[in-house]
Amino acid sequence: MTILIILCALVMLVMGFEMLLVLGVPAFLTKTFLFSRIPDPILIQKLIGGINFSTLLAIPFFIFAAELMASGQIAKRLTELIKYFVGHRLGGIGHTTIFGSMAFGSVSGSAPATVAAMGKLMYPELRNTGFSEKFSLGMIVSSAETALLIPPSITLIIYGWMTGTSITGLFIGGLGVGITLGLAFSVLVLIESLRKGVGRGEKNTAPFFGVFKAAAWALGLPVIILGGIYSGLFTPTEAAAISVVYAIFVEAFIYKNLSLSRLFNITEKAAISTTIIFVLLGVGSIISYFVTLAQVPSLITNFLTDIQAGPITFLIIINIVFFIAGMFLDPNSAQLILVPPLFPVALSMGIDPIHFGEIVCLNICIGMITPPFGLDIFVASSTLEMPVMSIINGVWPFLFINILVLLLVTYVPGLATFLPSLIAG
């Protein structure tokens, strides 16, 4: 069976899907050499059983909704409304890019989709208003990270599934962390704008009512998703399904921007993205199974006890490990490999699971833009037809801001836990 998996992984590598080689082959080699007495059918049960959770149904729905919005009018209408308020101010087009990414993230949960949508919309305007090429590219790639923090976040859904943590609580905590990161990026944009006097767009003299009316249907989506989840009216999975129905209705019948052929193409793209994620989750569940059998959490706990490491030292180690992993691994793969052994250790040290989840998610965000293999760097390169090195050169100041915010969230837990504690109370 292991030989068959390796052959499949090599074929899929040639076809452009390398993740089975990255995760699948190590998992089955581990079984062959360390747990050879385990029957092969057990692994199939773990593979299928690992993704047989209703909570994970939210992922394909949110991916589908993100593709609909990125290729339609909803993202554009949300961005135009934000630009009406801040676009004409110093650095306003930069702030529009950041807040537009946050708004798009609040209805998509996908950083790559946010890069693609906001890149097409905002890159020409950023350049026309004086921002340099590298700063514009860095801003687009980095601000898309907020989509992984501001709910609905696919990354937080996966973390909640892996650890049994309340997804609603994670969403509420992610809102605070995502806003903190967005505001930090805005400070950087303001500094750049003051230094070079750039980023001011033309003032929109149209009546506010007209601009609001044009965006009203687009605004309904975050209101329905976030309002419904936080009020307890429906679950994140139900919110995801509703978002798809709403997006199709608005794009097809209100904005009249969705034909049957375009819907088919969008569905195909969403299906491919969903398949990739679920293959990762299935194989990741096998790795988690082996991690448990090998008692890795106990080994880590014993090691930390021997060196007398407390929560502060543990969290420093976590951030360093995730940063290094993010440089070389797909962020979802890093989460699937690292969270199972580290989460029980975090609990044993009294770290709040929501706080730990936001730290993990922020590390995943950093991994998305960290050279040499940051996923969003390559998405931006493909979308904007720009050299990868140009994007990497623009990412560095935003990466520095990311690390500062990560340290702040790590050692000021209230940024992640204050809002969830209010809801719980």
Side-chain angles (χ1 to χ4, degrees):
M1 180 176 176
T2 301
I3 298 299
L4 180 61
I5 294 295
I6 293 175
L7 289 175
C8 289
L10 291 174
V11 171
M12 294 182 76
L13 175 65
V14 173
M15 297 174 65
F17 180 65
E18 72 282 1
M19 284 303 106
L20 190 60
L21 189 64
V22 173
L23 285 181
V25 171
F28 283 89
L29 287 177
T30 300
K31 184 265 180 189
T32 300
F33 292 106
L34 299 180
F35 301 100
S36 57
R37 293 185 178 181
I38 295 177
D40 288 344
I42 295 294
L43 300 190
I44 302 302
Q45 291 175 5
K46 294 296 178 182
L47 183 71
I48 303 301
I51 57 176
N52 189 23
F53 291 89
S54 59
T55 301
L56 296 180
L57 282 173
I59 294 175
F61 285 126
F62 279 131
I63 289 175
F64 193 13
E67 292 289 351
L68 286 164
M69 291 178 286
S71 61
Q73 288 288 308
I74 291 177
K76 183 178 179 181
R77 302 292 178 104
L78 288 172
T79 305
E80 287 296 325
L81 180 63
I82 294 169
K83 187 163 67 173
Y84 180 85
F85 291 105
V86 301
H88 59 284
R89 306 181 187 279
L90 184 66
I93 299 302
H95 297 310
T96 300
T97 302
I98 293 167
F99 297 137
S101 294
M102 294 168 70
F104 186 80
S106 72
V107 291
S108 72
S110 169
T114 305
V115 170
M118 298 307 298
K120 292 175 184 176
L121 285 173
M122 298 308 300
Y123 180 72
E125 292 199 52
L126 289 168
R127 298 291 287 121
N128 290 339
T129 53
F131 284 108
S132 67
E133 177 186 279
K134 69 176 185 178
F135 193 84
S136 300
L137 292 170
M139 188 193 313
I140 288 168
V141 171
S142 303
S143 60
E145 296 173 61
T146 56
L148 295 184
L149 291 161
I150 294 177
S153 163
I154 292 173
T155 301
L156 290 176
I157 291 172
I158 293 173
Y159 173 87
W161 157 72
M162 294 175 69
T163 63
T165 306
S166 164
I167 292 177
T168 301
L170 289 167
F171 278 3
I172 299 170
L175 185 63
V177 177
I179 291 173
T180 301
L181 183 62
L183 292 176
F185 286 154
S186 288
V187 171
L188 180 60
V189 168
L190 182 60
I191 293 171
E192 179 76 4
S193 302
L194 289 171
R195 284 180 58 238
K196 299 185 177 179
V198 298
R200 194 190 300 271
E202 295 183 4
K203 184 175 177 59
N204 189 343
T205 58
F208 168 73
F209 179 76
V211 177
F212 179 80
K213 182 179 179 181
W217 282 97
L219 278 173
L221 199 47
V223 170
I224 289 173
I225 293 175
L226 302 184
I229 292 174
Y230 295 158
S231 67
L233 189 61
F234 37 72
T235 66
T237 302
E238 292 165 344
I242 291 169
S243 71
V244 171
V245 175
Y246 186 89
I248 291 175
F249 172 77
V250 171
E251 293 288 357
F253 299 105
I254 304 299
Y255 297 147
K256 302 186 186 303
N257 191 55
L258 184 65
S259 64
L260 194 60
S261 61
R262 286 193 66 213
L263 179 61
F264 178 81
N265 291 333
I266 291 169
T267 304
E268 182 181 27
K269 288 178 63 178
I272 292 172
S273 298
T274 299
T275 301
I276 291 172
I277 289 177
F278 272 80
V279 168
L280 290 175
L281 295 179
V283 177
S285 65
I286 296 177
I287 293 177
S288 299
Y289 175 61
F290 289 142
V291 164
T292 303
L293 289 180
Q295 298 183 324
V296 173
S298 297
L299 294 174
I300 295 174
T301 302
N302 293 336
F303 169 73
L304 294 172
T305 301
D306 290 341
I307 64 173
Q308 297 182 332
I312 293 177
T313 305
F314 172 69
L315 291 176
I316 290 174
I317 294 171
I318 292 298
N319 288 330
I320 293 173
V321 168
F322 267 100
F323 185 81
I324 295 172
M327 294 174 64
F328 304 105
L329 285 178
D330 168 74
N332 286 322
S333 301
Q335 182 176 205
L336 290 168
I337 293 170
L338 295 174
V339 168
L342 295 174
F343 178 73
V345 182
L347 291 185
S348 71
M349 292 197 167
I351 298 171
D352 187 283
I354 291 177
H355 180 214
F356 187 69
E358 305 304 340
I359 292 172
V360 168
C361 189
L362 193 46
N363 273 291
I364 296 300
C365 290
I366 293 173
M368 298 288 277
I369 67 167
T370 303
F373 299 121
L375 176 61
D376 284 351
I377 293 173
F378 294 96
V379 172
S381 176
S382 174
T383 301
L384 300 174
E385 298 181 351
M386 300 295 294
V388 168
M389 283 308 302
S390 296
I391 300 171
I392 290 176
N393 289 336
V395 159
W396 297 115
F398 293 91
L399 191 57
F400 176 72
I401 295 296
N402 265 289
I403 293 172
L404 290 181
V405 173
L406 174 62
L407 292 174
L408 188 64
V409 171
T410 299
Y411 297 111
V412 184
L415 287 173
T417 60
F418 177 69
L419 290 178
S421 66
L422 290 180
I423 301 298

